[in-house]
Amino acid sequence: MAAVKQVNAHAETMGSQAALFMNINAAKGLLEVMKTNLGPRGTIKMLVGGAGDIKLTKDGNVLLREMQIQNPTAVMIARTAVAQDDITGDGTTTTVLMIGELLKQAEKHLNEGLHPRVLVEGFEIAKKAALAYIEKVKKPIDCNDREQLRCVAYTALRTKLQESIANQLTDNVTDAVLTVKVPNEPLDLHMVEIMHMKHKMATDTRLVNGLVLDHGARHPDMKKYNEDCFILTCNISLEYEKSEVNSGFFYSNAEQREKMVAAERMYTDERVHKIIELKNKVCGDDPNKSFVVINQKGIDPLSLDLLVQNGIVGLRRAKKRNMERLILACGGVAVNSVEELTPEALGHADKVYEHVIGEEVYTFVEGVKNPHSCTLLIKGPHDHTIAQIKEAIRDGLRAIKNTLEDGSVIPGAGAWEVGLHTHLKNEVVKSVEGRARLGVEAFAEALLIVPKTLATNSGNDPQEALISLQNEHEKGNFLGFDVESGEPTDPCMSGIYDNLIVKRQILQSSPIIASQLLLVDEVIRAGRNMRPR
């Protein structure tokens, strides 16, 4: 400490014991904040901003991102947990609980004079044993079995939403992923459009096998409801454009100016007429067939008039991402010039219609064959409900994606944690010599925070629940905790599955962060901004 003062007289330092217990207390404090959110019976936090704006959530990722955390140790743990969500899409709360409990268990041994380095060695041995154990207990899954994928999605959604909404969204999320899944290709979740409408109730949220665009036709006389539609997806400018270089046009009389304006207009009109010719070719005189142009670039009023006169619906300024989705949903190809306009380039949809809510206009493209893109349309009476559902849907989509990539799942409901605890206590500890076994025992005890918290949050006695689970595991029964009945249950029979990648990531990151915090022997605040002015 004195040495630092010689280097920087304005430095603020904290000694070894004080620094160590500051880190442990910060981790325990964050653990207490987050533990009540875990599981399907977890409670909800209300975050109030400086301007009085309110956010209701039980998603650990949202909480850690939105909360203003000032303690540097807590910030470090929060960043680790947020990184967990970025990589795997879930496991944020469990990561915080695991790090906090590891330090909590370590504190008991540190108070008895054990050196942190000994505990860190034990954590490392336990981590390697846990990663080997996870490969033994993982359960292979059939990636084409909808029911198994549905169980994975339900487990993820049920921890974020109430049961009635989670049940409905599970089918929507599962079908959405199966729609965009292409065999032997990486799964692209961006092809699932998530659109929200402040309208009706949360239970009206549905999967649209097609696309929902957040804008409508730009001409009041265009048809609002169209059936048997040919869809032209294009990136062609149908408006007057200025030259890309600075240039001047000189004329000597009004007649020459009129000719120049007509020539400029003719350039755009020729493009529109080629689209009209294609429409007449595919639709003929059949009044039941419709033709819809969805353009990434602009369509000026004169071009819109021409399209209306010929019974064509035109939407302009569509998002680039929606253009990709349209081709996957409706078929056809994206056209970049009028020379490419052929009937084979067109997609098809059974109906295209507008839906107006207040000043918001939405265009629905539905009834497409063999879609590889779709839309999850979230409905809710207010922003809080919509935000909660949107966060849950993202987690559900990522859960199924992880399952498809891993090809395996882990039995949930705390079964895996109790099983690993039993394995470490009965087998691994016996093989470790010296004081490092204390670190392995601390790691094993820390794992029990998950089943204990699940029991506490569901209103059951954590000690009683834990003893009954441990007794079953001692007998060789791989059971978890049922939050509904409060009794041990087979997670595979109940359809409670966790992602393999989530558990593996928790095992890899939590001991590393806990070890780093245990090995801090001094906290020094001596940055550049500490110098006297």
Side-chain angles (χ1 to χ4, degrees):
M1 192 180 294
V4 177
K5 288 288 185 183
Q6 288 176 0
V7 176
N8 185 345
H10 297 276
E12 296 175 8
T13 59
M14 191 179 287
S16 58
Q17 287 298 311
L20 190 56
F21 288 107
M22 182 202 81
N23 289 341
I24 292 172
N25 289 331
K28 284 160 63 178
L30 201 57
L31 181 149
E32 293 300 324
V33 171
M34 301 292 292
K35 70 187 292 187
T36 53
N37 292 9
L38 188 72
R41 294 292 184 91
T43 51
I44 295 173
K45 296 279 189 292
M46 179 188 285
L47 291 173
V48 183
D53 48 317
I54 297 170
K55 193 160 205 172
L56 295 169
T57 185
K58 61 183 291 193
D59 188 337
N61 179 44
V62 176
L63 275 172
L64 293 174
R65 283 183 190 275
E66 299 285 340
M67 275 197 305
Q68 188 176 2
I69 303 170
Q70 293 183 337
N71 186 289
T73 305
V75 168
M76 185 179 175
I77 296 170
R79 284 177 182 165
T80 306
V82 168
Q84 161 87 17
D85 191 273
D86 292 339
I87 296 166
T88 65
D90 205 357
T92 320
T93 308
T94 311
T95 302
V96 173
L97 263 59
M98 191 68 190
I99 295 170
E101 192 64 17
L102 280 169
L103 291 173
K104 199 172 178 182
Q105 293 296 329
E107 186 180 20
K108 298 174 186 176
H109 298 292
L110 293 172
N111 286 332
E112 294 172 1
L114 189 68
H115 195 278
R117 177 60 69 183
V118 177
L119 286 169
V120 169
E121 288 173 11
F123 286 175
E124 189 63 28
I125 294 167
K127 185 180 86 170
K128 288 177 182 175
L131 290 170
Y133 179 78
I134 203 172
E135 297 299 323
K136 293 180 186 175
V137 299
K138 69 180 183 182
K139 184 177 183 296
I141 198 167
D142 180 4
C143 295
N144 296 315
D145 186 343
R146 182 181 177 278
E147 189 55 38
Q148 285 187 312
L149 295 176
R150 189 185 177 282
C151 290
V152 173
Y154 182 72
T155 306
L157 291 169
R158 185 66 186 88
T159 60
K160 308 286 187 301
L161 299 168
Q162 61 190 40
E163 191 172 359
S164 58
I165 301 174
N167 269 326
Q168 181 189 346
L169 286 181
T170 300
D171 292 314
N172 294 339
V173 167
T174 309
D175 292 337
V177 175
L178 292 175
T179 299
V180 301
K181 178 174 170 269
V182 179
N184 303 320
E185 284 189 25
L187 184 64
D188 185 4
L189 291 182
H190 289 296
M191 291 304 106
V192 179
E193 167 82 336
I194 298 176
M195 184 68 70
H196 66 270
M197 296 168 68
K198 200 185 287 187
H199 179 55
K200 294 189 177 179
M201 302 300 291
T203 48
D204 294 305
T205 297
R206 68 187 181 97
L207 174 69
V208 178
N209 273 319
L211 212 63
V212 181
L213 307 174
D214 56 357
H215 53 88
R218 288 292 185 261
H219 196 287
D221 296 336
M222 284 182 176
K223 287 171 67 178
K224 307 298 181 191
Y225 188 90
N226 306 272
E227 292 184 336
D228 194 7
C229 307
F230 290 95
I231 311 286
L232 172 61
T233 308
C234 60
N235 185 24
I236 303 170
S237 177
L238 299 178
E239 60 185 347
Y240 167 72
E241 290 186 18
K242 291 182 179 178
S243 59
E244 291 184 8
V245 295
N246 289 327
S247 57
F249 294 94
F250 299 95
Y251 46 86
S252 55
N253 55 47
E255 188 179 336
Q256 287 179 356
R257 182 183 178 281
E258 292 298 326
K259 284 182 180 178
M260 187 187 73
V261 170
E264 285 179 337
R265 186 68 237 167
M266 193 189 304
Y267 178 74
T268 306
D269 287 350
E270 281 176 0
R271 293 179 171 188
V272 179
H273 284 300
K274 286 189 177 179
I275 292 173
I276 294 168
E277 284 173 20
L278 179 63
K279 183 259 180 183
N280 293 333
K281 186 176 180 181
V282 295
C283 295
D285 297 325
D286 189 345
N288 296 321
K289 290 184 177 179
S290 305
F291 196 89
V292 180
V293 177
I294 300 176
N295 193 11
Q296 192 176 335
K297 290 184 177 174
I299 307 175
D300 63 19
L302 295 173
S303 299
L304 285 169
D305 280 337
L306 278 172
L307 294 175
V308 169
Q309 289 164 18
N310 290 273
I312 298 174
V313 177
L315 284 82
R316 64 187 183 190
R317 309 268 184 231
K319 296 174 188 171
K320 185 180 178 182
R321 182 66 78 182
N322 281 342
M323 303 302 279
E324 295 175 35
R325 293 185 181 115
L326 270 167
I327 299 158
L328 290 168
C330 306
V333 293
V335 176
N336 292 310
S337 70
V338 288
E339 284 73 26
E340 299 172 20
L341 290 173
T342 59
E344 291 76 29
L346 299 175
H348 187 272
D350 289 345
K351 53 186 177 180
V352 176
Y353 61 94
E354 277 188 14
H355 187 87
V356 182
I357 301 172
E359 295 181 359
E360 301 289 331
V361 181
Y362 300 88
T363 302
F364 286 72
V365 181
E366 288 191 62
V368 294
K369 294 175 183 174
N370 302 319
H372 290 297
S373 180
C374 57
T375 302
L376 280 165
L377 184 62
I378 300 170
K379 294 187 179 182
H382 46 71
D383 292 333
H384 301 312
T385 303
I386 291 169
Q388 271 186 308
I389 294 173
K390 194 179 284 188
E391 289 156 10
I393 280 176
R394 286 205 177 97
D395 286 354
L397 291 171
R398 285 291 294 274
I400 299 178
K401 181 175 186 281
N402 291 338
T403 304
L404 293 173
E405 289 174 352
D406 293 335
S408 305
V409 289
I410 296 291
W416 175 79
E417 284 82 1
V418 179
L420 179 54
H421 170 269
T422 307
H423 172 70
L424 291 174
K425 284 275 193 179
N426 294 351
E427 296 177 34
V428 180
V429 170
K430 293 175 183 176
S431 66
V432 179
E433 294 181 359
R435 293 182 298 168
R437 66 191 304 167
L438 295 173
V440 178
E441 288 176 358
F443 191 99
E445 291 299 324
L447 288 164
L448 298 179
I449 185 65
V450 173
K452 281 197 287 190
T453 306
L454 286 173
T456 304
N457 290 349
S458 58
N460 292 289
D461 181 66
Q463 300 304 330
E464 188 181 328
L466 200 56
I467 290 166
S468 60
L469 281 176
Q470 286 175 319
N471 288 340
E472 292 293 342
H473 279 263
E474 292 288 347
K475 296 174 188 173
N477 301 325
F478 200 80
L479 301 184
F481 182 74
D482 187 345
V483 294
E484 302 289 340
S485 66
E487 298 294 328
T489 182
D490 185 344
C492 297
M493 294 296 291
S494 304
I496 304 169
Y497 296 118
D498 288 330
N499 285 140
L500 174 64
I501 190 174
V502 173
K503 294 297 183 188
R504 192 187 285 142
Q505 183 68 21
I506 291 168
L507 281 178
Q508 287 174 336
S509 61
S510 301
I512 291 172
I513 298 300
S515 299
Q516 287 178 340
L517 293 173
L518 283 174
L519 293 175
V520 171
D521 71 339
E522 195 167 3
V523 177
I524 305 168
R525 189 163 178 260
R528 290 185 178 275
N529 59 350
M530 296 292 293
R531 290 177 179 175
R533 295 178 182 175

